[in-house]
Amino acid sequence: MTIQDYQKKNLLSNGKTNTKTAKNELKTFILYLAPHTKNSKGFNICAHASKGCIRACLDTAGMGIFSNVQNARIEKSNYFVEYRKEFLNHLAKEINTKVKTARRKGEKIAFRLNGTSDMDFVYLLKKHANFDILDTKDVAIYYDYTPNIHRALRYKNHPLYTVTFSRKEDNNKETQTALENNINTAVVFNKLPKLWKGKKVIDGDKSDLEMIKHKDVILGLIAKGKAKKDTSNFVVVI
């Protein structure tokens, strides 16, 4: 595809198409890319993904099961890896459009820039598109999950961007670091316990914004889809 073809299509999706984000109190917009190396350059968009994470990926959950949705996500990933600066300027423009509409309507909105990816878009937008999310603080909040402990630590005290660390079967050391630094940590369970590693477990499936409402907790997520058959210890069995 040419850059003109890519630029004709929207990057952000309405959160109502996602079962969990549909429960959010705020209108939410999500960027869905094809995960891992599912792009024209074989670039790993999820550099910290584990084998269990890859097998259990929610990329094919919900609407993601449909081929047209998969193809759209691959196209967006191709756009990102082939024309990064143009992609980021396109993304900044879309965010600004949503923000302006929210301001006009007097609404608060939310953005999840890594629906099925693991990139530091807050940094990339500022570097390549001169877009600082802090300029939208009057109407918007931003949040993500990441298994990248460095990103979780970097944004621990950010006033607008909430990052929840993701526990996997191969990152026990990093998980302990997150817990010691009182960073919300997402853990996939077969059923929710009341406590895990001495931390309170809340129902992270209640809505996608539970991470905004709680601090220093475990966001418990129930295994879904392919994760129900996990044998890698990605899913914590209670």
Side-chain angles (χ1 to χ4, degrees), residues 20 112 114 117-118 142-149 151-153 155-156 161-167 171 178-179 182-188 202 204 207-221:
K20 189 164 65 167
R112 180 176 172 183
N114 283 287
S117 56
D118 185 33
Y142 301 76
Y143 68 95
D144 271 323
Y145 295 88
T146 183
N148 182 342
I149 188 61
R151 183 145 61 94
L153 289 168
Y155 293 106
K156 176 184 174 184
Y161 182 43
T162 299
V163 178
T164 292
F165 181 73
S166 295
R167 177 264 173 199
N171 67 354
L179 297 177
N182 304 321
I183 295 172
N184 285 352
T185 300
V187 182
V188 181
I202 66 166
S207 89
D208 224 21
L209 297 182
E210 292 304 298
M211 70 170 74
I212 308 291
K213 303 173 186 176
H214 302 273
K215 300 297 181 185
D216 191 21
V217 298
I218 301 298
L219 281 170
L221 307 171

Side-chain angles (χ1 to χ4, degrees), residues 184-201:
N184 285 352
T185 300
V187 182
V188 181
F189 297 99
N190 65 323
K191 61 180 181 180
L192 293 187
K194 292 183 177 181
L195 294 173
W196 190 76
K197 301 284 187 181
K199 301 278 187 176
K200 181 180 178 181
V201 177

Side-chain angles (χ1 to χ4, degrees), residues 4-161:
Q4 289 77 19
D5 292 327
Y6 287 132
Q7 290 174 331
K8 292 176 183 177
K9 301 184 179 183
N10 292 329
L11 296 177
L12 294 170
S13 299
N14 191 313
K16 288 183 178 180
T17 62
N18 179 293
T19 302
K20 189 164 65 167
T21 51
K23 302 173 186 176
N24 289 0
E25 297 91 335
L26 301 181
K27 184 180 293 184
T28 303
F29 302 95
I30 310 176
L31 175 63
Y32 288 112
L33 302 182
H36 321 306
T37 57
K38 292 167 63 175
N39 57 72
S40 58
K41 293 193 174 183
F43 174 77
N44 192 348
I45 285 173
C46 304
H48 293 264
S50 65
K51 291 181 180 179
C53 178
I54 292 171
R55 284 194 293 266
C57 184
L58 294 177
D59 177 47
T60 55
M63 299 295 288
I65 195 172
F66 299 109
S67 60
N68 63 318
V69 175
Q70 285 291 308
N71 290 336
R73 292 178 183 179
I74 291 172
E75 285 181 1
K76 290 176 187 178
S77 289
N78 290 346
Y79 184 8
F80 175 68
V81 300
E82 293 171 12
Y83 304 100
R84 180 167 296 198
K85 185 173 182 178
E86 290 82 358
F87 175 97
L88 292 164
N89 276 278
H90 185 163
L91 178 58
K93 183 178 179 181
E94 281 196 27
I95 294 173
N96 268 322
T97 297
K98 305 296 185 188
V99 165
K100 288 178 182 177
T101 299
R103 282 188 180 129
R104 188 176 70 250
K105 294 183 177 181
E107 296 177 338
K108 292 283 186 178
I109 56 177
F111 293 94
R112 180 176 172 183
L113 300 180
N114 283 287
T116 42
S117 56
D118 185 33
M119 299 295 299
D120 190 347
F121 282 111
V122 170
Y123 166 77
L124 292 172
L125 282 166
K126 192 170 184 178
K127 179 179 179 180
H128 297 287
N130 195 30
F131 178 82
D132 190 340
I133 65 170
L134 288 174
D135 293 335
T136 69
K137 63 182 178 181
D138 56 319
V139 295
I141 60 170
Y142 301 76
Y143 68 95
D144 271 323
Y145 295 88
T146 183
N148 182 342
I149 188 61
H150 302 294
R151 183 145 61 94
L153 289 168
R154 182 182 310 133
Y155 293 106
K156 176 184 174 184
N157 296 313
H158 196 282
L160 204 63
Y161 182 43

